[in-house]
Amino acid sequence: MLVLTLLASSIVIYAALYLAPGTPLSALTGGRPLPEETIRVLEQKYHLDDPVLVGYWHWLNGAMHGDFGTSFVQRVPVTDLIAPRALTTAELVFYAAVLVVVFGVAIGLLGALRPGIVDSGMLISTTVLAATPSFVAATVLISVFSVRLGWFPTLGAGDGLLDQIRHLTLPAIALATSSLALVARVTRASVLEEADREHVQTAQARGLPRRLIVRRHVLRNAAIPITTVTGVTIASLVAAVAVVEQAFNIDGLGAYLVEAASSKDFAVVQAISLLLVVAFVLTSTVVDILYAALDPRVKLGSHTS
Amino acid sequence: MIIFSRFRSDRRPHRQPHKALFCSFIAVALIALSACSGQPQATNSRGTKLTVTTPEAVGDLDSATWGMYRPINSLDPIVAFDYPENTVVATLCEAILRQQPDGSLKPGLATLKYQAPTTITLDLRPEVRFWDGTPVTTADVIFSLQRAADPKAGGYYTEVFDRVSSITATGPNQVTITLKQPDYWLEGELSSLAGVVVEKRYAQAHGDSFGTPAGGIMCTGPYRVQTWKAGGDITVTKNDSYWDTSAQAKAKQITFTGVTDASAMAKGLSSGEIDGAYVQDVVSLPALQRASSLNIYYGASFDSDMFIVTSLAGPLGDVRVRRALSLAFDRKTYIKSAVHGAAQVPRMPTNPGTWGFAHGVFQQAWDSMPELKVDLTKARQLVKEAGADGKTIVIGTSTAIAGVALEADAWRAAAESIGLKVTLANVSANNYFNFFVDEKARANLDALMVTTYGSYADPASLESTYALPNGSQNFSGYNNPQITKLFGEARSEADPEQRAKLDVEAEKLIMDDLPWIPVSAPYVVLVMNKRVTGPPSTFNYMSAPVMAMLGAAG
């Protein structure tokens, strides 16, 4: 499945880049008009004049042999460009995912179990946060916590564990905000729904401790919708990371993908996109596996779910 | 697509509000003096203080971070063409001649002499060493210049050598350039990236990887490359054996970081994470001015903000329509609102920052010309006379480049106010650059906007690219034999005063004909944290190792 997805994606990405108007040359020269002869030399050098199928085959052949090509803008192997940035992006997404899971579920639960002012407050704030795009969150966080209060740095990803955590905290919050709010709302809704079920009422009538009821009867059953939405939103973090990296000037995969796409740096776009596809597919797979663990009725490989 | 537009808002090659310079005669006189002394200040008509130098650094720095609007793509001088590459390459490498903060030329790696109008000798400084300790030889100089001139090398500066017939060694330390015709523009080019000397043996050994993170470069400057993450930050470290003992670097290491988003750059500067930057995208200027931790200097630039007429086949083929458009555009308001005052209203096609010689001649001509003012009555009259009422002009734009989009809207308003119709052809940022490269892409356009500059301080350096029939940026096929003749004479004229007079004559014709319509003459904006100081606040950073002057403030 993964291989087919990747193959299809690579064709779509290649075709889209090829069909988009403009030539990579203008990105390379930044719009500087060049003599004909120089243009021909550059086109030959970077295989920009190859027909589309030849170009794609050239790339595919290399990729199957583990050679993902060379960035024509930077003139270095794509793997050299991607490896250091992939780590940064993975750290950022992981950090944000932890925030989404821990705080999203906790806040949702709090809202569901504490009706009244806590619940209303939670509802209002998550409504606002869920509708807050990450670039807005980024701007607000930077101006308050970096510029005004000076608690966090505004730029870069940092070196060493502690410094990285310090650098990535605001970006992770900006990235997590709307997903976190969404997860909180779904958690609240499914917990409330489960809490209304007959077996929960029965348990209450039997005088079981509230804590036990919540954990065993409510949360366990609410876990499936929560896991689904958490999985989807975490996968979406991978896509949204470009915006946040841009705002915080973090030199990661997302920001570099945008840069490469706008300069039609084909090999780089292809490699990063495919990497993101892999990350997306893997996240979904992990969610599927979790279903099986959470609900014995779901069996891996069966189509009953 | 907010991501995209934020991301690319300032990725412009030669486009962008900038800042440059002077206005009164006093300013010019001060600037002329200033290369060696204090920090002269002058005030232009709008009240902006203009400086050439910043206070000299009193101490060394362990490290500093310098911001640029994007990371560099290459270190190879022959393909360096934009603010970031120029800034870094100029820090590492040196050219035959050295541009001074006021735009004048002095000997660099060699002393240049016109032995005859078609014979130039370059006498190399014997003490110059590459970073690896090897002396710079005539072979290195010849190799570097021939490489820059060779179209097969794929460099961007081949055309500046079009009058060169041969480059040969005529002594152990002497190179002679023989010209087909006299060429007094070549010395200016040899002070910019086209004249940078790299080590022949090193460049040949590294072939295609020369100038990349894998191959690196070998130059002579006050800094050498320490680490360079492809597509990311580059850190340079002091060259302890720099040949010029009087100009040793003050900061032990400098990290050049690319910050694409202008507001992120402003925040980085305000918070002190970035120590300084020559800021091209001035959208965040008000925020920078509010930050108490920063010093902001304004100085002379080579930049010109231009409205480019790309086709003479449409309504803009009539000079009366071009004049009418120029009269309809409110430059004062545009400069105030779009570039926060970091520019002046032009009187000549090119920025006063480009007066690298014969200041008096250029100043006198500037003063004799009127400031470009709005006159809608006259403009409407001209449009009527030309029979262009209700005709449509197509202006290329990109909402992904904030400055360009803003200016396009201003031009539309101006054109519509005098009875013309406007269609904006909106494309992506990259395709906007493509308009400049691909003739077919711009076939349906009448006009584009750009902020562009020449390589050295001579108005002709930029003007010749669009006002001459064979100019690299002459997209419309504009041809005025008188201008061609005047620039031809200027290029062959040995006497600077005389050359300036020829330039000025051609410039007046350009102002009359408006093959491109001048919009503003931007200033250089230098922003530095108060803990650092030193580099000049002029366009000098684009060609000379001025970062060596960056040090601790008193």
Side-chain angles (χ1 to χ4, degrees):
Chain A
M1 249 339 260
L2 182 60
V3 173
L4 275 182
T5 313
L6 288 178
L7 191 68
S9 314
S10 77
I11 293 172
V12 171
I13 295 161
Y14 195 99
L17 266 189
Y18 181 81
L19 291 174
T23 141
L25 212 57
S26 55
L28 196 65
T29 65
R32 187 187 174 88
L34 293 177
E36 273 301 311
E37 195 178 356
T38 309
I39 289 180
R40 273 200 307 280
V41 168
L42 291 174
E43 279 178 346
Q44 264 170 16
K45 195 164 168 185
Y46 301 117
H47 300 284
L48 301 180
D49 46 0
D50 286 351
V52 57
L53 285 177
V54 174
Y56 180 72
W57 176 246
H58 191 75
W59 174 83
L60 189 65
N61 201 23
M64 289 195 298
H65 293 89
D67 171 13
F68 288 90
T70 304
S71 156
F72 81 88
V73 174
Q74 298 290 341
R75 294 188 292 159
V76 293
V78 167
T79 37
D80 290 4
L81 283 167
I82 289 183
R85 291 178 172 82
L87 190 64
T88 308
T89 300
E91 285 167 352
L92 176 56
V93 171
F94 179 74
Y95 195 165
V98 169
L99 295 180
V100 169
V101 173
V102 173
F103 291 97
V105 174
I107 292 171
L109 208 52
L110 199 68
L113 302 178
R114 296 263 186 284
I117 190 151
V118 174
D119 188 30
S120 314
M122 174 259 164
L123 263 181
I124 293 168
S125 55
T126 51
T127 306
V128 173
L129 289 181
T132 307
S134 46
F135 68 88
V136 173
T139 309
V140 173
L141 289 170
I142 293 174
S143 48
V144 175
F145 294 102
S146 301
V147 176
R148 193 143 318 157
L149 298 172
W151 292 355
F152 295 98
T154 58
L155 301 171
D159 303 306
L161 187 65
L162 275 181
D163 192 38
Q164 279 193 331
I165 291 177
R166 216 169 68 84
H167 272 87
L168 292 181
T169 297
L170 289 187
I173 295 174
L175 185 58
T177 309
S178 67
S179 307
L180 191 154
L182 196 65
V183 168
R185 294 175 66 84
V186 169
T187 303
R188 175 186 172 276
S190 23
V191 166
L192 283 178
E193 190 186 324
E194 293 301 327
D196 247 11
R197 291 277 177 97
E198 270 174 22
H199 70 274
V200 175
Q201 289 171 351
T202 310
Q204 277 169 334
R206 286 174 58 200
L208 287 179
R210 183 173 153 87
R211 173 175 300 212
L212 193 70
I213 299 174
V214 169
R215 209 170 52 214
R216 191 173 293 170
H217 297 293
V218 178
L219 260 190
R220 184 83 188 255
N221 284 310
I224 292 264
I226 294 174
T227 308
T228 309
V229 77
T230 307
V232 172
T233 52
I234 288 178
S236 78
L237 295 182
V238 174
V241 77
V243 184
V244 171
E245 286 181 352
Q246 190 54 41
F248 289 90
N249 212 57
I250 293 170
D251 190 11
L253 278 190
Y256 205 70
L257 174 64
V258 179
E259 168 68 35
S262 50
S263 44
K264 291 194 121 187
D265 197 348
F266 170 74
V268 178
V269 175
Q270 191 76 293
I272 298 182
S273 312
L274 294 184
L275 205 59
L276 296 186
V277 171
V278 171
F280 201 92
V281 171
L282 285 184
T283 315
S284 313
T285 312
V286 169
V287 171
D288 281 348
I289 293 170
L290 277 178
Y291 283 164
L294 290 167
D295 187 345
R297 287 171 301 178
V298 179
K299 286 217 180 76
L300 285 182
S302 76
H303 294 278
T304 50
S305 69
Chain B
M1 288 310 293
I2 286 144
I3 322 169
F4 197 69
S5 67
R6 281 173 66 82
F7 184 74
R8 296 295 298 240
S9 65
D10 38 7
R11 166 153 188 173
R12 60 215 70 184
H14 324 134
R15 153 168 338 155
Q16 202 23 27
H18 234 235
K19 340 232 86 233
L21 172 319
F22 7 127
C23 26
S24 66
F25 180 72
I26 293 168
V28 172
L30 283 170
I31 280 154
L33 288 170
S34 69
C36 38
S37 66
Q39 320 100 43
Q41 292 200 334
T43 303
N44 76 350
S45 52
R46 298 182 48 83
T48 305
K49 277 186 177 167
L50 299 165
T51 59
V52 174
T53 55
T54 58
E56 202 178 324
V58 297
D60 292 349
L61 285 172
D62 279 337
S63 69
T65 302
W66 199 258
M68 305 184 300
Y69 85 86
R70 63 165 172 79
I72 56 166
N73 289 333
S74 175
L75 279 180
D76 189 344
I78 67 168
V79 296
F81 69 89
D82 194 8
Y83 305 100
E85 280 84 8
N86 274 60
T87 308
V88 180
V89 173
T91 302
L92 299 167
C93 302
E94 295 169 297
I96 302 285
L97 297 181
R98 174 74 63 88
Q99 285 181 26
Q100 303 300 307
D102 65 352
S104 62
L105 301 182
K106 285 201 175 153
L109 296 184
T111 308
L112 178 147
K113 213 169 165 189
Y114 280 86
Q115 302 294 353
T118 55
T119 310
I120 299 173
T121 54
L122 308 175
D123 289 298
L124 311 192
R125 283 181 199 270
E127 71 271 29
V128 181
R129 298 284 182 278
F130 288 110
W131 300 328
D132 62 7
T134 323
V136 174
T137 64
T138 54
D140 295 313
V141 173
I142 295 169
F143 170 80
S144 302
L145 297 183
Q146 283 178 340
R147 186 168 170 270
D150 180 9
K152 289 198 180 60
Y156 303 160
Y157 298 99
T158 57
E159 283 167 326
V160 308
F161 295 95
D162 64 356
R163 287 194 179 180
V164 173
S165 65
S166 71
I167 306 172
T168 50
T170 45
N173 270 318
Q174 190 183 65
V175 171
T176 298
I177 301 176
T178 312
L179 303 169
K180 295 172 203 158
Q181 299 169 61
D183 185 1
Y184 290 91
W185 288 352
L186 188 63
E187 53 178 334
E189 297 291 353
L190 293 181
S191 72
S192 69
L193 291 175
V196 164
V197 177
V198 299
E199 191 181 283
K200 177 181 180 180
R201 196 186 49 179
Y202 188 93
Q204 286 182 329
H206 288 81
D208 268 356
S209 75
F210 184 71
T212 69
I217 48 165
M218 185 53 67
C219 282
T220 57
Y223 284 96
R224 52 198 297 170
V225 182
Q226 186 179 317
T227 54
W228 179 14
K229 177 183 174 191
D233 292 357
I234 177 168
T235 300
V236 301
T237 185
K238 184 181 173 181
N239 170 16
D240 286 318
S241 50
Y242 183 47
W243 63 272
D244 187 351
T245 45
S246 67
Q248 297 292 318
K250 291 205 161 66
K252 283 205 187 73
Q253 85 179 28
I254 302 175
T255 298
F256 292 94
T257 188
V259 184
T260 309
D261 186 282
S263 68
M265 171 84 93
K267 283 162 188 156
L269 284 162
S270 312
S271 68
E273 287 162 76
I274 299 173
D275 291 302
Y278 290 98
V279 176
Q280 281 90 38
D281 189 339
V282 292
V283 293
S284 298
L285 194 53
L288 292 168
Q289 285 165 338
R290 280 195 301 273
S292 58
S293 58
L294 301 174
N295 283 320
I296 303 181
Y297 302 92
Y298 303 93
S301 173
F302 295 180
D303 278 337
S304 287
D305 184 356
M306 294 285 198
F307 180 80
I308 300 179
V309 175
T310 57
S311 166
L312 296 172
L316 297 181
D318 191 318
V319 66
R320 289 170 295 191
V321 181
R322 301 200 293 272
R323 284 181 195 146
L325 264 182
S326 180
L327 285 169
F329 193 86
D330 186 351
R331 292 174 175 81
K332 268 204 169 130
T333 307
Y334 170 77
I335 288 171
K336 201 170 150 192
S337 57
V339 297
H340 304 292
Q344 71 182 114
V345 177
R347 295 175 185 224
M348 282 295 210
T350 310
N351 200 312
T354 59
W355 305 340
F357 56 98
H359 285 92
V361 177
F362 288 116
Q363 183 70 57
Q364 203 178 14
W366 176 275
D367 292 340
S368 75
M369 299 288 280
E371 196 176 82
L372 297 175
K373 284 208 174 92
V374 179
D375 187 343
L376 290 181
T377 323
K378 196 169 162 198
R380 284 193 197 107
Q381 183 64 31
L382 283 167
V383 170
K384 278 217 177 67
E385 279 173 26
D389 240 341
K391 285 197 178 159
T392 302
I393 55 173
V394 183
I395 303 176
T397 182
S398 173
T399 42
I401 310 172
V404 168
L406 206 65
E407 195 179 323
D409 286 335
W411 277 108
R412 172 160 70 180
E416 287 176 351
S417 71
I418 53 170
L420 293 166
K421 285 188 179 139
V422 172
T423 305
L424 295 181
N426 184 22
V427 295
S428 72
N430 189 39
N431 285 323
Y432 190 79
F433 306 141
N434 197 40
F435 282 145
F436 295 85
V437 180
D438 185 357
E439 202 176 335
K440 284 192 288 285
R442 62 173 180 263
N444 298 319
L445 302 181
D446 293 301
L448 285 170
M449 292 140 302
V450 72
T451 293
T452 182
Y453 52 84
S455 311
Y456 56 97
D458 180 343
S461 172
L462 173 59
E463 287 153 5
S464 63
T465 66
Y466 68 85
L468 291 181
N470 62 350
S472 61
Q473 304 194 80
N474 184 345
F475 305 127
S476 66
Y478 173 79
N479 187 353
N480 180 331
Q482 253 180 304
I483 293 175
T484 308
K485 180 169 166 282
L486 286 166
F487 276 138
E489 284 169 18
R491 190 173 181 179
S492 304
E493 175 58 57
D495 175 36
E497 296 278 325
Q498 200 51 40
R499 202 179 327 134
K501 283 179 184 156
L502 290 162
D503 275 359
V504 162
E505 249 185 279
E507 287 191 280
K508 286 183 172 168
L509 291 175
I510 292 174
M511 286 310 279
D512 197 45
D513 247 6
L514 299 172
W516 286 14
I517 303 175
V519 178
S520 77
Y523 304 134
V524 166
V525 178
L526 169 59
V527 181
M528 284 190 290
N529 191 300
K530 285 184 174 158
R531 91 178 177 107
V532 304
T533 184
S537 57
T538 65
F539 216 60
N540 203 204
Y541 73 95
M542 295 286 281
S543 62
V546 298
M547 296 310 291
M549 298 154 88
L550 181 72

